[in-house]
Amino acid sequence: MRLSQAWIVARHDMSIFRRRRGVLYGLIALPFAVGIGFPALVGVIVHRGTGGLESYLPDLVNAFSFWWVIGAGILPTTIAAYGIVGEKVEKSLEPLLSTPTTDGEILLGKTLAAFLPTMAAVWAGSVLYQVLVDLETRGALGYLLYPSWGMAVILFVLAPLACLYAVEFSVLVSSRVTDARSAQQYAGIIFLPLIFIYIAGEIGTIPLDTVNLLYFSGALAALVLALFYVSLRLFRREEILTQWK
Amino acid sequence: MIHTDRLTKRFGTVTAVDGVSLDIPEGEVFGFLGPNGAGKTTTMRMLASLVSMTSGTGEVAGCELGKPADELKLRQRIGVLPENVGLYESLSAYENVAYFGRLHRMDEPTLRQNIERLLRMMDLWEKKDLPTATFSKGMKQKVALARTLVHDPILLFLDEPTANLDPEAAKTVRDVVLDLKRQGRTVFLNTHHLEEAQRICDRVGILRTKLLTVGSVESLRTGASGKHTAVRVDRPSEQLAATVRARLAPRTVELSGDRLVVGVTDPEQENPEIAAAVMAAGGRILEVSQLSQSLEDIYLKLVHEGGAPA
C-alpha cells in the first residue's frame, strides 16, 4: 500500500469537504460549543456549590471528559458518509476505481480524510475545554484537574479509536444506502454503546478512571479491527461496481 | 493490444458474458454493439480489470487479465470513460482532471501541460475554474473525456460516450475519437449508435451475451446477405423477371417493386451483362445501383436471430 497514493485521495476529499459549508461548520461548531459549554456548566456548579465539591467535582468532570470520545465518534460520520455515499451519488467511484489505485489505498485515503479533520477539531476543542475547566475549578479544588492520565487516554487512544470505529461503520452502512443522510442516520447507531458508557460514568455505575478507560480502549480496538476487516472486504471494486446499491 | 480467449463472466447463475474471444490490434477503433443488458459494460470492465472474469484468458495492453501483479500496470496504461461521467460537481473542470492525473502519478509540469492542451482542445480552457455543476451535459462529458486522456493512455475504453448528448456535443466527442485514431491510439468503444460506429470504427463486434460477429462494417454489410445489383425498370413484371432469370442463371433474380434484384459476386464485372440481359428481355432500364444492407439491418437481424450472418 502506497501512503502517497492514499494521501492524494485524502487531500482531494478534504478539498471537497472544505467547500461543503454544513460539514465544515458542523465539524468546528460542536467541539467548540462543548469546549465552552461544559466548562460554563462546571463554573455554575462551582459557584453555586456549598460544600464537598472536592468529593464529586473530579468524577463529574471526568464523566464530562468522555464526551470527547462520543464527539470523535459523531463528527466523522458526516464526512465519511459524504466521502463514500457522495461518490456513489455523483457516480464517481467507477472512474476512481479505474485509476492505478488499490482498494486499500482508496479506503485509507477516505479514512484519513474523515479522521484527520475530526481529530484536529476534537483536540483543538479539548484544549479549550481543559484550560477553561482548570480556570473554573482550580480555586475550589486547589489543584489542576487537567492534564491527567485519564484525559490523555481519552484524547490519544479512545477518541482516535472511536473516530476510526465511526469511519469503518460508515463504510459498512455506505455500501447499502444511496444517500448521505440515510448513511448518517444509520451510522447514528454506533453512538449507543458510547452513550451507555457515558451515562454509566455520570451516574457512577462504571467509574471512568484510567484503568477502565484502558479496558474500553482494548474493546474498541478489537471492534475497530473487526470492522476494518469487514469494510476492506466490502470495499472491493468488484463488490462496489456490481453489488453496491 | 487486446486479446481474449473465451472470456466469460457469471453473476451467480446468470451468465453476463459468454465465451468472448477478441483480437484488437494497436491503433484500431473497435466498436462494441449490442442491446441493453448484452454484457458490453461487463466486458469492458473485465478488460479494464475492474471486475474479474469467471473463466477464459486475456491480455490487454501487455498485461495479463486476472494476474494481480498486472492490475495496477494495466490501469496505468488505459483510460476508462464510464457511461456515467461521474465528475465531482463542486470541483472545477481543472481540479477534476488534475485529481486523476495525480492518481496516475504524473509529475506536476506535465500534468499542467496536458490539462491545458486537453481543455483547450475541448474548448473549455476559459471555463476551467468554474465548478462542473454549472456545466451542460455536453461540457461535462468533455471534462470526463479530458480526465480519461490526461495521462496519455495507450488504450481507451469509452462506454456510450455520446449517449444523451446534443448533436454538437456528440460531434465534438466523435472528433476527439477520430483525432485519437489519427494519433494511433487504440479505442474500445461501447455504443448504441450504429451510425457512429459506421462512421468512426475500423471494425465492430456485435454482442448479445455471446459475440455474434466481428468484422469491418463493409465486410458485415456484404457478408450478411451477399452483394446485390438492383435494376429499376420502366414496366416491371413477373414475366420480365422470369426471362431475365433464365438469361442470368444460376444467379438469383427477384422482382421487388419496380426493381429486379440480382445476386452478384463481382458487380463491376457482372453489371454490364445484367444490363444487357434486362434490355434483351425487353426491359427499359431507368437505373442500376448496388444494394447493400445497412449496419442497422445487420444489427437487428443478428440481435433478434442471435446467430451469425449467412
Side-chain angles (χ1 to χ4, degrees), chain B residues 42-162:
Chain B
T42 302
T43 305
M44 204 182 87
R45 285 174 173 171
M46 280 194 283
L47 296 176
S49 84
L50 286 170
V51 299
S52 61
M53 54 200 177
T54 308
S55 64
T57 57
E59 196 185 299
V60 177
C63 301
E64 195 182 316
L65 290 182
K67 188 176 167 189
D70 274 5
E71 277 187 12
L72 289 186
K73 201 165 40 168
L74 171 60
R75 290 204 288 271
Q76 182 69 43
R77 292 175 182 177
I78 63 171
V80 180
L81 177 68
E83 191 176 353
N84 295 303
V85 290
L87 296 178
Y88 300 100
E89 301 230 325
S90 58
L91 299 186
S92 68
Y94 192 99
E95 289 167 321
N96 265 284
V97 181
Y99 177 44
F100 282 76
R102 292 191 185 104
L103 287 171
H104 282 92
R105 321 288 292 178
M106 291 179 74
D107 62 84
E108 285 296 320
T110 313
L111 176 61
R112 277 197 296 272
Q113 215 171 33
N114 280 10
I115 296 173
E116 183 171 349
R117 176 173 55 81
L118 288 164
L119 291 183
R120 281 191 191 282
M121 184 168 96
M122 307 288 176
D123 209 17
L124 287 171
W125 182 245
E126 305 304 321
K127 297 183 173 72
K128 67 179 192 303
D129 296 322
L130 295 177
T132 53
T134 62
F135 284 12
S136 69
K137 205 163 189 173
M139 288 160 79
K140 285 179 185 173
Q141 187 74 336
K142 287 197 266 183
V143 176
L145 200 51
R147 177 191 67 194
T148 310
L149 293 169
V150 70
H151 59 291
D152 288 323
I154 55 170
L155 168 63
L156 281 136
F157 291 100
L158 310 179
D159 198 0
E160 307 282 357
T162 57

Side-chain angles (χ1 to χ4, degrees), chain A residues 199-240:
Chain A
I199 293 169
E202 283 286 10
I203 61 175
T205 312
I206 305 172
L208 295 178
D209 54 28
T210 310
V211 175
N212 278 342
L213 289 176
L214 283 170
Y215 282 135
F216 295 141
S217 303
L220 203 52
L223 203 57
V224 167
L225 280 176
L227 280 176
F228 185 69
Y229 176 75
V230 177
S231 48
L232 258 186
R233 284 193 65 82
L234 275 177
F235 204 85
R236 285 184 180 166
R237 61 198 65 216
E238 181 146 0
E239 180 91 15
I240 292 167

Side-chain angles (χ1 to χ4, degrees), chain A residues 39-50:
Chain A
L41 193 61
V42 169
V44 171
I45 293 167
V46 168
H47 293 299
R48 284 189 181 172
T50 45

Side-chain angles (χ1 to χ4, degrees), chain B residues 264-285:
Chain B
V264 292
T265 48
D266 184 352
E268 283 193 9
Q269 289 290 321
E270 297 171 56
N271 282 356
E273 189 191 341
I274 292 167
V278 173
M279 285 190 290
R284 186 165 166 262
I285 298 173

